[in-house]
Amino acid sequence: MEFVYLAFWAIVAIYLIYKIFRCIRIIPAQDVLIVERLGKYSRSLRAGFHILIPFVDRDAYYHTLKEQSIDVQPQICITHDNVQVKVDGVIYLKIIDPVRASYGIEDFQFAAIQLAQTTMRSVIGTMELDKTIGEKDLINSTIVAAIDQASEPWGIKVNRYEILNIVPPKSVLDAMEKEKKAQIAKRSQVLLSEGERDSRINRSLGFKEEAVNKSEGEKQRRINSAEGKATEIEALAVATAKGIEAIAGAISDQGGASAIKLQITKAFIQNFLHVAKENTEILVPADVMNLPNLIANLTEPRKPKA
């Protein structure tokens, strides 16, 4: 009997020691402990050393004030053009009021996930497939605004939402791939045709510039040739005039007439000998043998007829 009493009091002592030990709380940084006293909210314990009253105080909720990332499981959403897509994402939220996070809602993480999925289905339902894939930022911001507005009584702050994957059905993916290939082929043909057009334009411009350069060169060549001929004719005329002037001056000098006659006679004989070659028949005027009279007629000025 005494052994039973000893065992009972030993159990009671162990229980009391355990309860006293449980009353000692050391809270890490960025954590908070919600304490209830006799079933009613008492206080929030932040980082540090704290002692609770045994059998009166109870640690009801334990929260972390760090930012939390919560996975949103994949779900099926229907776009505006009736295409089913599988979408998943991640919510990043933070507790700003531990009391409201404890008593404002049963499970704020589950509620945030459900609200994110509901909002995602609503937003994607207003978009076509191409817009859904290309405008993830718009969907993210819309979901964040909806959750943040609804979660204010819960004492949490939704910082951002990120869509991880938007997966259309395989048939849609195959059709999109074929369309992309067709667009690439079309773009390639357009680029090739534009390159051929530019090449032809460049060649025609080159031919045009070549023709212009040739015509300009030919024009300049003709101008230079004409200027050269004009200069030649001018120089020949000046030389001829000077020669005639010199001859006229020589004739007027003493003995000039005799010298002129001698030169004419010499030139006449040389030309005559040049014409009268072997095997050549010529007709000679009758007065050619009277060479002095012929020379006199050539050198004497003719008198004008009355």
Side-chain angles (χ1 to χ4, degrees):
M1 194 68 179
E2 293 180 358
F3 175 77
V4 175
Y5 285 114
L6 291 175
F8 172 76
W9 289 110
I11 293 173
V12 171
I14 293 172
Y15 177 73
L16 291 175
I17 293 172
Y18 171 75
K19 293 296 292 184
I20 294 172
F21 179 78
R22 287 286 300 168
C23 292
I24 300 173
R25 291 289 185 270
I26 299 176
I27 310 299
Q30 294 297 316
D31 287 350
V32 62
L33 180 64
I34 303 299
V35 177
E36 292 181 353
R37 178 168 293 175
L38 300 178
K40 184 179 179 181
Y41 169 74
S42 174
R43 61 191 184 278
S44 299
L45 302 181
R46 302 282 177 164
F49 178 82
H50 303 277
I51 297 178
L52 304 181
I53 301 176
F55 305 103
V56 177
D57 294 338
R58 182 177 73 91
D59 49 348
Y61 300 97
Y62 192 89
H63 299 292
T64 178
L65 301 180
K66 300 176 183 178
E67 187 175 24
Q68 306 176 41
S69 60
I70 305 173
D71 292 332
V72 178
Q73 296 301 318
Q75 62 172 336
I76 300 298
C77 301
I78 301 177
T79 62
H80 186 68
D81 48 355
N82 296 323
V83 178
Q84 293 184 356
V85 293
K86 185 180 292 185
V87 187
D88 59 351
V90 179
I91 301 175
Y92 295 89
L93 54 83
K94 185 177 182 181
I95 296 176
I96 57 176
D97 190 341
V99 177
R100 285 191 293 173
S102 301
Y103 300 102
I105 191 169
E106 180 67 25
D107 188 346
F108 65 87
Q109 292 187 353
F110 177 78
I113 292 174
Q114 295 299 314
L115 186 56
Q117 291 180 335
T118 304
T119 307
M120 186 186 303
R121 287 195 295 267
S122 300
V123 174
I124 292 180
T126 61
M127 298 181 176
E128 296 183 353
L129 178 61
D130 294 339
K131 190 176 181 181
T132 301
I133 296 176
E135 297 190 4
K136 289 185 178 181
D137 294 338
L138 177 62
I139 300 175
N140 294 336
S141 60
T142 304
I143 294 175
V144 169
I147 300 177
D148 196 39
Q149 181 179 3
S151 62
E152 184 177 358
W154 306 342
I156 64 174
K157 172 66 177 178
V158 178
N159 294 328
R160 59 190 184 278
Y161 179 86
E162 297 293 339
I163 294 178
L164 295 180
N165 300 293
I166 298 179
V167 183
K170 189 176 184 301
S171 59
V172 176
L173 290 176
D174 295 339
M176 293 173 64
E177 184 178 0
K178 292 179 180 179
E179 182 181 1
K180 188 64 177 179
K181 289 182 178 179
Q183 292 178 355
I184 293 175
K186 177 181 178 182
R187 190 180 302 113
S188 176
Q189 293 178 358
V190 170
L191 293 176
L192 288 176
S193 63
E194 290 180 352
E196 182 66 21
R197 181 196 63 188
D198 295 340
S199 176
R200 291 182 179 180
I201 292 174
N202 291 334
R203 284 199 297 268
S204 63
L205 291 176
F207 292 152
K208 177 182 176 181
E209 292 179 359
E210 182 181 1
V212 171
N213 292 334
K214 286 183 178 180
S215 63
E216 292 291 338
E218 182 66 19
K219 175 183 176 182
Q220 190 63 37
R221 187 189 66 80
R222 291 182 180 182
I223 292 174
N224 294 337
S225 178
E227 290 179 353
K229 289 181 179 180
T231 304
E232 181 183 359
I233 293 172
E234 182 180 1
L236 182 60
V238 172
T240 303
K242 289 182 179 180
I244 294 173
E245 184 180 356
I247 293 171
I251 293 174
S252 63
D253 293 340
Q254 185 177 1
S258 298
I260 291 299
K261 291 179 180 181
L262 179 60
Q263 290 294 330
I264 293 175
T265 302
K266 182 179 178 181
F268 178 79
I269 294 172
Q270 289 177 351
N271 291 330
F272 184 77
L273 293 175
H274 180 72
V275 173
K277 293 182 178 180
E278 187 178 358
N279 298 328
T280 302
E281 295 181 358
I282 60 174
L283 296 178
V284 181
D287 58 350
V288 73
M289 300 304 294
N290 191 2
L291 189 57
N293 292 332
L294 181 59
I295 297 302
N297 290 331
L298 290 173
T299 56
E300 291 179 359
R302 296 182 179 181
K303 296 180 181 181
K305 294 182 180 181

